[in-house]
């Protein structure tokens, strides 16, 4: 059993899994994979696993698990399965991207916003590195950075 979904939840999403011959252990394998993917994407903003599990994340975990199972076993799939699976994955990716960018916030079932993890960011992307693996005499400071830091002091 996962943190966000369970075998019985997955079977409720798609009734044909009962007759597909998949064991609970096989379904749990896909739950573990999907929750690992979700946690890796959520970890940029939240401590994982997110507890209590928001309904949104439970739904994403169920749909992602189901698409993984359907892709692997092609169970009772209609002609448009590939399109359904790709559309579902695209929607999941879009939602996870919004969560990781802080556009979409996670909330409990009672509507309380779940606190994001505190993260310290350091952005020096616009500057030449101050230190390098060169000898000290060969290292050069980016003059723009020095000017910017002096301007910040004023």
């Amino acid at each position: 059993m996962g943190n966000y979904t369970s075998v019985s939840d997955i079977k409720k999403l798609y009734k044909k899994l009962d007759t597909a011959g998949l064991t609970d252990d096989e379904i749990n394998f896909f739950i573990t994979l999907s929750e690992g993917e979700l946690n890796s994407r959520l970890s940029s903003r939240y401590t994982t696993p997110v507890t209590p599990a928001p309904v949104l994340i439970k739904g994403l975990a169920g749909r992602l698990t189901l698409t993984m199972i359907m892709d692997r076993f092609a169970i009772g799939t209609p002609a448009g399965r590939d399109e359904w699976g790709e559309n579902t994955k695209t929607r999941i990716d879009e939602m996870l991207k919004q969560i990781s960018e802080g556009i979409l916030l996670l909330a409990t079932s009672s509507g309380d916003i779940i606190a994001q993890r505190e993260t310290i960011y350091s952005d020096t992307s616009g500057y030449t590195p101050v230190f390098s693996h060169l000898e000290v005499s060969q290292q050069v400071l980016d003059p723009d950075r020095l000017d910017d830091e002096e301007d910040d002091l004023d």
Side-chain angles (χ1 to χ4, degrees):
M1 180 170 176
N3 293 301
Y4 307 131
T5 193
S6 66
V7 171
S8 63
D9 291 338
I10 300 304
K11 288 181 177 180
K12 287 176 191 172
L13 285 175
Y14 194 63
K15 296 290 184 189
K16 290 186 180 185
L17 286 179
D18 287 333
T19 60
L22 288 173
T23 66
D24 288 357
D25 285 342
E26 289 171 321
I27 296 172
N28 268 320
F29 171 76
F30 288 100
I31 289 172
T32 301
L33 292 178
S34 68
E35 290 191 2
E37 185 174 331
L38 286 173
N39 282 334
S40 68
R41 302 275 299 273
L42 294 170
S43 67
S44 66
R45 290 265 176 196
Y46 296 93
T47 301
T48 58
V50 180
T51 54
V55 175
L56 173 67
I57 299 303
K58 289 179 180 182
L60 292 175
R63 286 185 291 188
L64 184 57
T65 301
L66 186 58
T67 59
M68 287 179 170
I69 291 170
M70 303 257 312
D71 282 349
R72 174 66 176 94
F73 294 104
I75 298 169
T77 55
R81 177 194 62 85
D82 290 336
E83 184 178 326
W84 172 84
E86 289 307 313
N87 289 341
T88 301
K89 287 179 192 174
T90 299
R91 285 195 308 272
I92 291 170
D93 282 342
E94 288 171 0
M95 292 182 91
L96 289 172
K97 182 179 178 189
Q98 290 177 344
I99 292 169
S100 70
E101 292 174 350
I103 296 168
L104 187 61
L105 300 177
L106 297 182
T108 63
S109 58
S110 60
D112 297 325
I113 300 296
I114 296 175
Q116 295 184 30
R117 187 174 64 146
E118 289 188 33
T119 306
I120 299 171
Y121 293 98
S122 176
D123 185 9
T124 58
S125 59
Y127 299 107
T128 303
V130 175
F131 300 103
S132 68
H133 295 286
L134 299 173
E135 293 295 323
V136 175
S137 62
Q138 295 175 317
Q139 294 181 14
V140 179
L141 292 176
D142 185 329
D144 293 333
R145 183 170 184 165
L146 293 174
D147 291 340
D148 291 344
E149 288 180 6
E150 286 177 3
D151 290 343
D152 286 343
L153 293 174
D154 294 337

